Amino acid sequence: MPRLDDHCWSCPCAHGPRHAGRARASAGGLAAKVGEMITSSVSRPSLLVARAAPDSDPSRGPGSTGAGGGSASWHHRLVQRGLVLFSVGVGLALVLNLLQVQRNVTLFPEEVTATAFSSAWWVPPCCGTAAAVVGLLYPCIDSHLGEPHKFKREWASVMRCVAVFVGINHASAKLDFANNVQLSLTLAALSLGLWWTFDRSRSGLGLGITIAFLATLITQLLVYNGVYQYTSPDFLYIRSWLPCIFFSGGVTVGNIGRQLAMGVPEKPHSD
């Protein structure tokens, strides 16, 4: 009969310390892994914040750099267009006013007449400034009304419009009619034909009429104060065809300003 001592009894108490050590080791490794995961999860956002800290300036709003650069570019292009329009106005004033003076249509006092251009010194800068204002105003009004001008938008058409305007001004000095009324009606028809051929917009018609009215009023005041004078005046102190010249000139300069504004982005809005 087998003895009780021959059997190998394994008591759990005998292996208790070893199993407890393994359990504590595995628990410690698991805790270490969890600690590493928590540490890494906390440290990553802090690294992101640290990297973004130099670029995040609370004094600058989001997109402030882009808006500032866009605004500076827009103003730079506006100044460029204004200078081009000013140069165009000066050139047209020198050519057209010289024709009027040579034909004795416009008379300036001798003490204010420039020798080089047979005209007063203030005429070219005044005409250049007016051309810059009108040329910048036309596309601005189109944008405000939400009616972009799309009729004959190419430089060849603009050059033809300039040629017709010079022809109208040339006709006012060269053509001989029985009276100034017939000449004025002819030039009025030519001016409306210029608008219909190269513009056909309500804004262009309205601005042309407004420019003609204001320019005629200013001219009346200048002639009344003796700055210069017109020969054979029939419309108060000036010629009756002069508003037609101002109307066609406004339409011409407006088309130049519209053409220069093509492809230029709108003014950026600052929040």
Side-chain angles (χ1 to χ4, degrees):
M1 187 173 180
R3 296 175 58 182
L4 187 61
D5 296 336
D6 295 337
H7 295 278
C8 296
W9 293 90
S10 60
C11 179
C13 298
H15 304 284
R18 185 175 59 184
H19 287 289
R22 291 178 180 176
R24 283 194 295 269
S26 61
L30 180 62
K33 291 181 179 180
V34 172
E36 290 176 1
M37 293 175 62
I38 295 175
T39 304
S40 62
S41 63
V42 173
S43 61
R44 285 175 184 174
S46 63
L47 290 175
L48 293 176
V49 172
R51 291 175 181 176
D55 296 333
S56 59
D57 188 358
S59 63
R60 297 184 300 175
S64 60
T65 303
S71 178
S73 177
W74 184 84
H75 284 93
H76 181 67
R77 293 182 180 181
L78 184 67
V79 171
Q80 286 181 337
R81 289 159 51 198
L83 291 176
V84 172
L85 290 167
F86 180 85
S87 302
V88 171
V90 170
L92 290 176
L94 292 176
V95 174
L96 301 181
N97 193 66
L98 178 61
L99 178 63
Q100 298 286 342
V101 172
Q102 288 180 347
R103 296 290 296 180
N104 292 325
V105 176
T106 306
L107 300 177
F108 290 94
E110 295 182 359
E111 61 270 14
V112 299
T113 301
T115 306
F117 305 108
S118 300
S119 175
W121 64 268
W122 49 266
V123 173
C126 288
C127 292
T129 304
V133 172
V134 172
L136 295 176
L137 186 62
Y138 263 75
C140 181
I141 294 297
D142 292 339
S143 177
H144 181 72
L145 296 177
E147 298 178 356
H149 186 254
K150 299 180 180 179
F151 182 72
K152 290 188 177 181
R153 299 301 301 272
E154 64 273 351
W155 279 111
S157 178
V158 173
M159 293 298 102
R160 287 194 295 268
C161 183
V162 173
V164 173
F165 169 62
V166 174
I168 292 175
N169 191 88
H170 187 75
S172 66
K174 289 285 187 178
L175 295 180
D176 295 326
F177 283 82
N179 50 51
N180 286 332
V181 176
Q182 294 181 1
L183 178 60
S184 301
L185 293 176
T186 302
L187 295 181
L190 292 175
S191 300
L192 289 175
L194 180 143
W195 168 79
W196 180 257
T197 304
F198 301 103
D199 194 320
R200 295 190 187 182
S201 65
R202 294 181 299 173
S203 60
L205 180 62
L207 282 173
I209 294 174
T210 303
I211 292 168
F213 173 77
L214 294 177
T216 302
L217 180 61
I218 294 173
T219 305
Q220 292 277 14
L221 294 176
L222 291 176
V223 176
Y224 176 77
N225 290 312
V227 178
Y228 68 101
Q229 62 180 349
Y230 285 89
T231 57
S232 304
D234 61 329
F235 180 56
L236 294 180
Y237 302 102
I238 63 174
R239 293 286 189 94
S240 57
W241 45 259
L242 193 60
C244 304
I245 302 297
F246 289 140
F247 175 83
S248 58
V251 174
T252 302
V253 175
N255 284 336
I256 297 175
R258 284 167 169 169
Q259 192 67 25
L260 290 174
M262 285 189 64
V264 177
E266 296 182 357
K267 182 179 181 180
H269 299 282
S270 57
D271 297 334

